[in-house]
């Protein structure tokens, strides 16, 4: 099971949220910020409830609802909306009688996100390098070369590569051009159309060293091209370029 399924299995509308955030990296960053804010939100909501400060109660319920919607927690957002309206209407009876439901909802979101961020794939300490190549030999060679330092994510075609880009926080992409289903240039177009091409360093790995192909590859803001067959030293040189990419950005 992919780690993003933890969210989907809890009715989080991940795909619709990605239309707003644009990429999984931005989405994860905002999920983390939301998770870190939940305990304070709950504490402040309870304080406003006890103080009968309905105006601030409604304002905080509103922001909690809006953030939940942006992140795909649509069912939970409906509950926060009810409390937002109750705050505006100064409906003390509703707030008091339904506060446990609100509290349980926030705790459920927190629990879901804790499970999600427990994954090594999501940890900011783990750098996922996605390798997209239809050659298992090539995939295994690169994994053996850099697998001790990075977590290697494998894709045997372009469609799988796009799926991984949507599901995981990808540190860098090593991309073959000639693959079945969806080729490397189609993956580059996907990255370009989704504003990822300048956020994720891309290295082309290809056996096609014709001038036309190389020129077309460099029409995108890629980091470099590795012509097959290449050696371990070539891979390590590319890793230095990837690190430099992040230092400059």
């Amino acid at each position: 099971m992919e780690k993003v399924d933890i969210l989907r299995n809890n009715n989080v509308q991940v795909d619709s949220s990605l239309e707003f955030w644009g990429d999984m990296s931005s989405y994860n960053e905002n999920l983390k910020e939301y998770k870190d804010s939940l305990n304070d939100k709950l504490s402040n909501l309870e304080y406003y409830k006890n103080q009968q400060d309905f105006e601030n109660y409604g304002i905080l319920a509103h922001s909690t609802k809006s953030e939940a919607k942006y992140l795909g927690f649509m069912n939970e957002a409906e509950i926060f909306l009810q409390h937002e309206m109750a705050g505006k209407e100064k409906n003390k009876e509703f707030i008091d009688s339904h506060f446990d439901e609100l509290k349980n909802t926030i705790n459920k979101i927190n629990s879901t996100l804790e499970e999600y961020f427990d994954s090594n794939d999501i940890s900011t300490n783990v750098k996922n390098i996605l390798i997209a190549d239809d050659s298992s030999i090539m995939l295994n060679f690169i994994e053996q070369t850099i697998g001790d330092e990075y977590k290697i994510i494998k894709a045997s075609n372009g469609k799988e590569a796009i799926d991984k880009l949507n599901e995981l926080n990808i540190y860098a992409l090593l991309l073959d051009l000639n693959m079945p289903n969806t080729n490397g240039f189609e993956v580059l177009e996907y990255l370009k159309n989704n504003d990822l091409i300048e956020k994720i360093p891309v290295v082309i790995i290809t056996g096609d060293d014709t001038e036309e192909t190389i020129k077309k590859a460099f029409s995108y803001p890629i980091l470099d091209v590795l012509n097959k067959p290449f050696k371990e030293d070539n891979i390590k040189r590319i890793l230095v370029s990837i690190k430099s990419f992040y230092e400059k950005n």
Side-chain angles (χ1 to χ4, degrees), residues 106-236:
I106 290 178
N107 287 336
K108 180 187 174 186
I109 294 174
N110 209 2
S111 177
T112 298
L113 292 179
E114 281 182 358
E115 183 181 1
Y116 179 61
F117 283 107
D118 275 346
S119 160
N120 285 336
D121 289 335
I122 304 303
S123 171
T124 55
N125 294 323
V126 175
K127 294 181 173 65
N128 299 312
I129 292 188
L130 173 59
I131 309 170
D133 197 306
D134 60 341
S135 168
S136 59
I137 293 175
M138 185 59 60
L139 291 172
N140 291 333
F141 170 71
I142 298 175
E143 182 176 31
Q144 289 171 7
T145 303
I146 63 177
D148 290 340
E149 186 175 357
Y150 299 93
K151 181 171 178 61
I152 304 304
I153 310 298
K154 299 178 183 179
S156 61
N157 58 61
K159 182 182 181 305
E160 287 184 11
I162 290 172
D163 288 343
K164 299 298 183 185
L165 287 163
N166 279 324
E167 293 166 357
L168 301 171
N169 189 7
I170 298 300
Y171 179 72
L173 169 61
L174 275 58
L175 178 66
D176 187 22
L177 293 177
N178 186 21
M179 295 183 292
N181 297 328
T182 302
N183 64 41
F185 283 115
E186 290 173 304
V187 175
L188 289 171
E189 276 297 304
Y190 174 84
L191 291 167
K192 177 182 176 182
N193 294 335
N194 288 274
D195 297 322
L196 295 173
I197 193 71
E198 295 182 352
K199 296 179 181 178
I200 300 174
V202 179
V203 176
I204 300 301
I205 50 177
T206 181
D208 183 354
D209 61 354
T210 61
E211 181 180 353
E212 180 182 1
T213 298
I214 300 302
K215 184 177 180 179
K216 184 177 179 181
F218 274 109
S219 68
Y220 298 88
I222 61 172
L223 196 61
D224 206 342
V225 173
L226 279 183
N227 291 313
K228 300 177 182 178
F230 45 80
K231 299 179 180 180
E232 183 176 327
D233 287 346
N234 301 124
I235 296 290
K236 291 182 177 179

